[in-house]
Amino acid sequence: MSKSLSDAAGVLSVERVLKPRSIVIVGASADPRAFGNFVLQNLERFGYAGEIHLVSRSSQEINGRRCVNSVDALPEGIDLAVLAIPESGVLDAVRTLGARKTGATVIFASGYAEAGEEGRARQEVLTEAANATGMALIGPNCMGFTNFEAGVPITFEAIAPYPCAGRKGVGVVAQSGAMAANLRDAFMGRGQPITAAVSTGNEAVLGIEDYLAWFIGDVQTSAIAVYAEQIRRPQTFIKLARKARAAGKPIVMLMPGKSARAREAAQSHTGALAGDHATTSVLLSREGVVMVDTLDELFDTTTILARFPVPPAAGTAVMTASGAVKNIVLDFAEDIGLTLPALTGPTIEKLTALLPDFAVADNPLDYTTIGVRNPGLIGELIDTVLADPNVGSLVLAIMGGPPIAQRDKADHVVPALARATKPAVLAVLGDNNVLEPFFVEAIAASGVPFFRSPDRALRACARVATYGESLQRAQRAQTADPVAIPLPGPVPANGIFAEYQGKQWLAAAGLPVPAGRLAKSLDDALRIADEIGYPVVLKAQASELPHKSDVGGVVVGLADENALRAGWDKLHTSVSSHRPELVLDGALVEAMGPRGLELVVGAKRDAEWGPVVLIGLGGIWIEVLKDVRLIPADMTEADIVVELRRLKAAALLDGVRGAEGVDVGAIANAVAAIGAQMRANPQITEIDVNPLVAYPNRVLALDALVVCGARDSAH
């Protein structure tokens, strides 16, 4: 487990790590394949100007540099130590380095938390040794880092300098060494500047959060790419995500763990105890972190956002010279949820004046073959489309063509994309077909995000649009008037509400429930039924009986007094036979709700991340179709409506086959009320309303479960 550092302490530690004035390599070797030798070669290749100290048991001199044979012989106050030694010698070295006031230590060795309980215990001892002297640890089980901006390569890979030429770049941080290298190399291959690439490994002291804080404060870093298998300090990460958003620095993150096998692999790989992936994704997305599903999306989205860190909250326009590409894009955009907005009237008028009579001015735009005779016109079309207020980004999907066509594109198309103030990307079809060097050089010099796959370009633009929406949503939240949250009354510190108690509490919180009350006797039940009117439903009530139907504890459709008498006997007989030890509080007598659209609204609290709310089709459909959306507990009613419209069965909200539509606003109000109570009452761990039945002018919570504290697994 990484040490919890204050923001200031973490940034100072990382500053000393990434920009050391002095370095010692413990385990230096003349063997060209030794880890210590790779580090030394890298430092010399980068022209590192600080002090370099070498500790070696086998050599007195390496590359003309004097070696000492013991850590004890080092001067005090070295900024960074690199331990290129086996695990067996690491602990003693850390203790000695700490005593000599070394600022930080990079540990390549494995055999710690990723190796099971014994390794975890070794890592805890290592962490305690570092903490005792205030020394930061990078790793263990890591590949180190390379600060390209400052020229500090501390990794056992042979790596060459990669100058940023004064351009702002991407910060890379990954818990996996291979992924840190993969991201680094991918960005290099695209000509994307990188400020630093860091492998955090097992995060015994310094973790992803510490490097994020540093990148947010680094003026040369414009976007941050993250690969994480576990967030060890969730609340710190959330706070940093807000800070990054305010600073206009997008965080793009890939976090495996959706599947059970991926969660198991993460544990064995980094010793991470994986949390709830869906909850993590929802709450980080709420703070503006761009959560992606694939490595391609991580590369592609970061590349676009590094150039356009504050994108508009609008959809994508597509331009092409191919009707076939236009048709493919229409289908693909629908599949990935990418909005292709309609162009405004003035844009259509201007495009119509520029295009031939047989071309249609819409989105996607097929501008036909006009570029062959008038290549400069393509740039004017790009400017026109990007100026449309409905357009948030642009993908130009074109063929490279013969050399003369590529020259035209280099001279006219690339400059038009380069001057865009909105995300504008170039996708050149033809897969790996070789392009002319001058065309490739023009693209690289322009900084225009470049793809050979329109599919990848469109997926990345979908992520960019989502990020733009999250920025806009955060802005609305900052300027919105605070909403008063009803206080329905106290809740117990621990335990499950019986349904009648939960409904009373939720009704006081503003959630509509059917008319009814608890009956402790048959006479009570008869009086209540007379008051609320038949037909009624009868439900057994006890906090130890959250799932009443399993034991015959629900009897529905009781149309009159005789039916109620028979139902009372049936309910009590069935519950007694299944749970003879159970003492009921009584039976809830409620008015039967008419048929409507059954939804589920559920909320849960993650111990580390906080509350989230689930909405979707309810009743039996939740198990069969699993058509649900997971959202933050503080989402506004307007944004809840947007999420409801994203359900696969959203058409049911408006009515199908003659059925009336339902009151979507009332649904959103109920969802917001449940989210508000989760935020206001930290002792509530779970609320489950299934079904919440929606009608044309109201909603009703027909069943409700409220859990406080830990829920007994036996229930």
Side-chain angles (χ1 to χ4, degrees), residues 168-251:
K168 291 192 174 184
V170 172
V172 174
V173 57
Q175 288 171 336
S176 159
M179 282 300 104
N182 184 28
L183 289 165
R184 178 200 68 208
D185 291 351
F187 290 128
M188 284 181 175
R190 290 185 165 197
Q192 170 63 55
I194 306 169
T195 50
V198 182
S199 159
T200 67
N202 290 10
E203 301 185 348
V205 174
L206 290 181
I208 278 182
E209 298 84 0
D210 302 299
Y211 297 102
L212 275 182
W214 189 87
F215 281 128
I216 292 167
D218 179 47
V219 295
Q220 284 302 112
T221 299
S222 59
I224 307 163
V226 178
Y227 174 85
E229 292 167 357
Q230 183 197 20
I231 303 302
R232 291 178 167 87
R233 288 180 262 156
Q235 294 307 312
T236 299
F237 198 104
I238 285 174
K239 183 170 67 172
L240 288 168
R242 292 172 185 159
K243 190 174 181 180
R245 186 184 67 213
K249 294 194 177 186
I251 299 173

Side-chain angles (χ1 to χ4, degrees), residues 39 48 57 80 116 190 268 365 440 633:
V39 175
Y48 174 71
R57 292 182 178 178
L80 181 65
R190 290 185 165 197
S268 62
L365 175 65
V440 175

Side-chain angles (χ1 to χ4, degrees), residues 268-331:
S268 62
H269 186 56
T270 65
L273 299 175
D276 187 324
H277 186 278
T279 297
T280 302
S281 295
V282 164
L283 294 181
L284 288 180
S285 296
R286 186 267 308 274
E287 301 302 342
V289 178
V290 186
M291 303 298 292
V292 298
D293 292 329
T294 67
L295 284 169
D296 286 351
E297 288 181 338
L298 184 56
F299 304 145
D300 302 343
T301 308
T302 306
T303 298
I304 296 174
L305 288 176
R307 183 174 173 86
F308 302 97
V310 188
T316 299
V318 180
M319 288 178 53
T320 182
S322 165
V325 170
K326 173 178 178 176
N327 294 334
I328 291 169
V329 166
L330 286 168
D331 286 343

Side-chain angles (χ1 to χ4, degrees), residues 45-96:
R45 192 178 300 114
F46 274 62
Y48 174 71
E51 297 177 8
I52 298 177
H53 303 270
L54 304 178
V55 177
S56 174
R57 292 182 178 178
S58 59
S59 301
Q60 294 183 338
E61 181 181 290
I62 300 174
N63 291 6
R65 298 178 183 272
R66 186 177 71 87
C67 302
V68 298
N69 61 8
S70 170
V71 173
D72 292 309
L74 293 170
E76 289 189 348
I78 292 175
D79 282 333
L80 181 65
V82 184
L83 299 190
I85 58 177
E87 180 274 325
S88 59
V90 166
L91 181 58
D92 286 343
V94 166
R95 286 172 171 161
T96 306

Side-chain angles (χ1 to χ4, degrees), residues 496-516:
I496 299 176
F497 277 6
E499 181 187 352
Y500 74 97
Q501 296 169 320
K503 281 184 172 175
Q504 288 173 356
W505 190 82
L506 288 170
L511 195 71
V513 300

